[in-house]
Amino acid sequence: MSTLMEEYKSKLITAEKAAQLVKSGSKVAYGTFLAKPIDFDAALADRAIAEGLTDIAISSAGTIPPVPQVILKDMEQKHFQYYSGYYTVVERKLADMGAVNFIPFSYHETVDYRSAPAWHESCERNIGVMQVCPMDKAGNFNFGIANSFNYADMRTTDICIVEINENMPYCLGGAEKSINIKDVDYIIEGSNEPVFAMPESPEPSETEKQIAKNIMPFIEDGSCIQLGIGGIPNAIGLMIAQSDLKDLGINSEMFVDSFVDMYEAGRITNKYKTRDKGRSTYTFCFATQKTYDFMANNPLLASYNAKYTNDPKYVQMEDKVVAVNNIVEIDLLSQVASETNGLRQISGTGGQLDFTIGAYESKGGKGILAFESTFTKKDGTVVSRIKPMLTPGSAVTVPRTCVHYVATEHGIALLKGRSVWSRTEQLINLAAPEFRDELIREAQEMKIWTRTNKTALL
């Protein structure tokens, strides 16, 4: 331990001195979600502006408050360009002001981006700086609730810097959950800002509860669950906790609040999982403090990189995978948009496509895309989320060939293997009743609604 401490002390550096390592044209990795550095970020913003550095590229995914100082102090982008692979409310607002640009990717591919030759040039980073837990007795700095592809980012940079935050939950696992001091060039002892936590989730709406009720019959004892972000997945988790289901497993990119409720109700045992039997696997968390406290040093959980949790070839290894993810809209051709509203980026592909494919390939699995059938605009106008065509400019997150199940408050439908005519009818039946006649008229003009619709077998 004394040798480790000597090495530790030799690598200590202030945030201000660490910022001096960044030059004009540098590419800096900030990691994902709660790994984003705080003290280094502020020091880098001050230094770059004071000294006139330019063309510094910052890459992240899922930016969590506080808002990066490299953006706040450089809104005109004279010194920095900020790139993100997943938009939270922070990035959405900043992108509206032209301060952030999006990097499209499927989550499971991000680890390989850092090492595969085909992606090397576009994903190269000179410096990696991320928040971590304090060093443990073996000389490891745990990434806490932010695993994702952070290890790969740090191991492929020329300079690796960790910023310690004593408030980061130490998360067991797993693989690539930590980086060893021998692979670290510099250590910043941070100011230990509280880790940003979400407020308690609101009670699910009646519509969300109805959607959850429609999905519940598709979950059986021994199912392996993945839940995405949002009110509907949370409502399903709470309903599972109140059910009599047993021996459920968890393999999810995100560890969500309702998993804690499921654990406390005795629904999760991971008894029948193929991998990590007895443990729930995940790659990141962005939740309430209650959930963070539950995750800290919990041997029932295992933190892995995003490839391990999300790659469809691994997801399908588990039987009876039920993956539930929220979407923005779907058209009558069954193309799904989940990350944009027209040209406006609002989130990212994340793992939705990964789990939709993986769940379908799983023995007895079901990939379910769930959403409220309508949306109310700020002016009070109610619009349908089921549309003849996607909003112009919208990115297709799940192509129609991959869509499995679709669920709204009006029911649930299996689309896989159906013809376009049949899909059209199924989707219109899931739309709010007041929009169905209009959708039929549009479908007729599109020549995807014919007399055969009511009698079609497929």
Side-chain angles (χ1 to χ4, degrees):
M1 188 63 181
S2 59
T3 303
L4 281 177
M5 288 310 301
E6 289 173 3
E7 185 174 4
Y8 179 96
K9 291 177 181 178
S10 70
K11 294 181 176 182
L12 275 177
I13 192 173
T14 65
E16 291 72 23
K17 287 188 176 180
Q20 292 290 327
L21 299 169
V22 180
K23 312 298 181 184
S24 290
S26 290
K27 298 179 180 180
V28 185
Y30 269 16
T32 59
F33 295 95
L34 290 160
K36 174 178 63 66
I38 305 297
D39 298 88
F40 174 86
D41 171 64
L44 178 58
D46 290 341
R47 187 226 166 183
I49 293 169
E51 300 182 21
L53 302 184
T54 59
D55 298 321
I56 301 171
I58 308 292
S59 64
S60 184
T63 302
I64 304 300
V67 177
Q69 294 298 299
V70 294
I71 299 179
L72 279 184
K73 295 183 178 181
D74 185 38
M75 291 300 294
E76 295 182 2
Q77 296 179 280
K78 293 181 178 178
H79 310 279
F80 299 98
Q81 296 89 46
Y82 195 93
Y83 301 92
S84 177
Y86 189 92
Y87 280 15
T88 64
V89 65
V90 174
E91 282 116 335
R92 285 198 293 274
K93 292 182 177 179
L94 292 170
D96 288 342
M97 295 182 281
V100 177
N101 195 248
F102 183 67
I103 306 174
F105 58 64
S106 285
Y107 205 7
H108 83 273
E109 298 174 329
T110 53
V111 174
D112 290 339
Y113 279 4
R114 273 62 192 166
S115 56
W119 304 105
H120 176 74
E121 184 177 351
S122 62
C123 294
E124 185 181 50
R125 306 291 181 263
N126 307 114
I127 302 173
V129 190
M130 299 177 195
Q131 279 199 124
V132 295
C133 298
M135 187 176 73
D136 63 21
K137 293 180 180 179
N140 295 312
F141 297 93
N142 187 270
F143 289 115
I145 49 181
N147 189 325
S148 296
F149 49 86
N150 291 336
Y151 178 84
D153 250 356
M154 295 289 259
R155 292 288 286 119
T156 54
T157 55
D158 299 322
I159 301 174
C160 175
I161 305 171
V162 295
E163 180 177 301
I164 294 172
N165 189 334
E166 295 177 357
N167 295 309
M168 179 74 81
Y170 190 101
C171 294
L172 305 176
E176 301 192 359
K177 63 187 182 298
S178 304
I179 188 166
N180 193 268
I181 191 169
K182 65 180 176 59
D183 297 316
V184 171
D185 296 301
Y186 298 100
I187 301 166
I188 300 169
E189 291 185 337
S191 54
N192 299 309
E193 291 287 325
V195 173
F196 183 84
M198 292 290 289
E200 290 294 328
S201 300
E203 178 72 15
S205 68
E206 290 305 312
T207 302
E208 290 170 338
K209 290 179 181 178
Q210 184 57 54
I211 296 170
K213 287 179 182 178
N214 293 338
I215 293 172
M216 282 296 291
F218 290 79
I219 304 173
E220 56 188 306
D221 292 346
S223 291
C224 187
I225 308 297
Q226 180 262 330
L227 297 178
I229 194 168
I232 294 171
N234 187 57
I236 292 167
L238 293 174
M239 204 164 286
I240 291 173
Q242 297 164 7
S243 73
D244 59 359
L245 288 166
K246 59 185 179 182
D247 293 326
L248 299 178
I250 301 295
N251 180 66
S252 186
E253 62 178 15
M254 181 178 180
F255 194 90
V256 300
D257 288 320
S258 60
F259 287 158
V260 179
D261 299 301
M262 291 163 63
Y263 260 109
E264 291 176 345
R267 304 295 162 225
I268 301 172
T269 65
N270 292 296
K271 180 178 179 180
Y272 294 108
K273 285 180 66 178
T274 300
R275 303 180 304 159
D276 298 280
K277 200 176 293 291
R279 298 193 299 176
S280 293
T281 46
Y282 68 96
T283 194
F284 80 94
C285 180
F286 172 38
T288 63
Q289 188 61 49
K290 175 185 175 182
T291 299
Y292 296 163
D293 293 342
F294 177 84
M295 298 175 73
N297 292 292
N298 191 334
L300 295 177
L301 313 181
S303 169
Y304 281 94
N305 69 33
K307 183 178 179 67
Y308 186 93
T309 57
N310 285 48
D311 194 321
K313 70 184 178 185
Y314 296 141
V315 174
Q316 68 177 319
M317 292 174 66
E318 306 297 341
D319 291 344
K320 297 191 287 188
V321 172
V322 178
V324 182
N325 291 281
N326 205 353
I327 74 173
V328 174
E329 61 183 28
I330 185 170
D331 66 18
L332 293 180
L333 300 175
S334 62
Q335 300 178 114
V336 173
S338 303
E339 60 191 274
T340 67
N341 184 4
L343 291 171
R344 186 174 188 249
Q345 191 76 37
I346 57 176
S347 58
T349 300
Q352 182 169 124
L353 182 59
D354 296 339
F355 277 96
T356 298
I357 294 172
Y360 172 73
E361 297 290 345
S362 160
K363 183 179 179 181
K366 306 169 187 73
I368 302 172
L369 301 174
F371 61 106
E372 296 185 33
S373 66
T374 62
F375 171 74
T376 303
K377 295 183 176 180
K378 291 181 180 180
D379 63 5
T381 305
V382 178
V383 297
S384 177
R385 292 186 186 271
I386 298 175
K387 301 184 175 184
M389 297 294 291
L390 296 179
T391 301
S394 290
V396 174
T397 304
V398 182
R400 60 182 180 173
T401 51
C402 297
V403 175
H404 196 189
Y405 285 89
V406 176
T408 73
E409 69 271 29
H410 302 294
I412 185 168
L414 170 63
L415 299 190
K416 197 81 168 183
R418 290 184 180 274
S419 68
V420 172
W421 289 347
S422 182
R423 290 174 186 231
T424 300
E425 183 172 354
Q426 294 292 320
L427 287 168
I428 291 175
N429 287 336
L430 295 180
E434 63 267 31
F435 290 102
R436 292 177 188 174
D437 288 343
E438 179 185 347
L439 287 168
I440 290 173
R441 287 193 296 271
E442 294 281 359
Q444 288 171 331
E445 290 186 15
M446 295 167 65
K447 301 186 185 305
I448 56 174
W449 182 274
T450 75
R451 64 179 179 80
T452 62
N453 276 81
K454 293 298 182 182
T455 58
L457 295 177
L458 291 177

